[in-house]
Amino acid sequence: MAAVFSPSVRISLALIVAVAATLYLAPLAAQEPADPPPATEPAEPPPPVEMNEREQAFAAAISGTTLEGHFTVSGRNEADLPQLSAENYSLGEVRKVAEGKWLIPANIKYGDKDVTLPLTLPVEWAGDTAVIIVDKVGFPGLGTYSARVLIHDGRYAGYWAGADHGGHLFGIVKKPAQ
């Protein structure tokens, strides 16, 4: 049975994520399905995968960063206007593990949620812009979500969706202080 929380409890992804973040890092809802499919985690570290220049730049641009921004929620009560809520995704070392698949270790914080997950997600490209893809991925303790989060020039933006609601997410990619 899914838990339903009051409208004052806001959600964040993903993504992301999520986001995604967006990304995947995309925003996540405070609703948990009975048996969401688990986020994937490699059993052991995979061997290094060859990366082209664009992929190397992507890994360097987001590894060890924090995606700090906001997300909106719509769909639960159409009479309510979407409201901004804060989200924060701290990323570990991001690396390509197979053609089109990336390991994105993420600590996801929004509302009263704070989880760390090793996410293996597809990354596609729109020219030189990375797009993190989340398709009905189960996040333990959070729910099942889909999202598209793009990363470009120190920013992230995208759309996320849960079972009966969704929204937008956006923010900056912050490098740690040197």
Side-chain angles (χ1 to χ4, degrees):
M1 168 114 347
V4 178
F5 296 89
S6 71
S8 64
V9 177
R10 295 299 178 190
I11 58 180
S12 172
L13 178 53
L15 264 35
I16 217 148
V17 207
V19 194
T22 148
L23 155 50
Y24 111 89
L25 319 166
L28 302 172
Q31 186 177 61
E32 184 177 347
D35 295 304
T40 58
E41 177 180 2
E44 58 185 57
V49 175
E50 190 172 319
M51 294 191 293
N52 62 37
E53 189 175 317
R54 175 179 66 180
E55 293 168 331
Q56 290 172 12
F58 169 65
I62 67 169
S63 287
T65 64
T66 299
L67 280 63
E68 192 173 283
H70 295 87
F71 67 95
T72 64
V73 179
S74 59
R76 284 202 167 145
N77 183 353
E78 293 301 326
D80 292 338
L81 293 175
Q83 303 212 355
L84 285 179
S85 296
E87 64 182 2
N88 181 300
Y89 306 91
S90 297
L91 305 182
E93 179 189 352
V94 175
R95 58 192 166 100
K96 184 177 176 182
V97 293
E99 191 57 41
K101 298 284 186 183
W102 291 73
L103 176 62
I104 306 173
N107 175 251
I108 304 166
K109 294 181 185 179
Y110 69 94
D112 63 349
K113 303 293 184 186
D114 184 352
V115 298
T116 300
L117 300 169
L119 306 172
T120 301
L121 299 169
V123 173
E124 296 184 8
W125 299 90
D128 65 348
T129 302
V131 181
I132 299 170
I133 308 294
V134 179
D135 274 326
K136 298 179 183 157
V137 174
F139 296 92
L142 300 173
T144 300
Y145 298 92
S146 294
R148 301 295 184 272
V149 180
L150 66 87
I151 309 289
H152 184 73
D153 198 22
R155 307 256 182 229
Y156 73 95
Y159 173 79
W160 66 273
D164 63 351
H165 54 290
H168 296 90
L169 63 151
F170 58 93
I172 60 173
V173 178
K174 293 178 76 173
K175 296 239 180 230
Q178 306 261 349

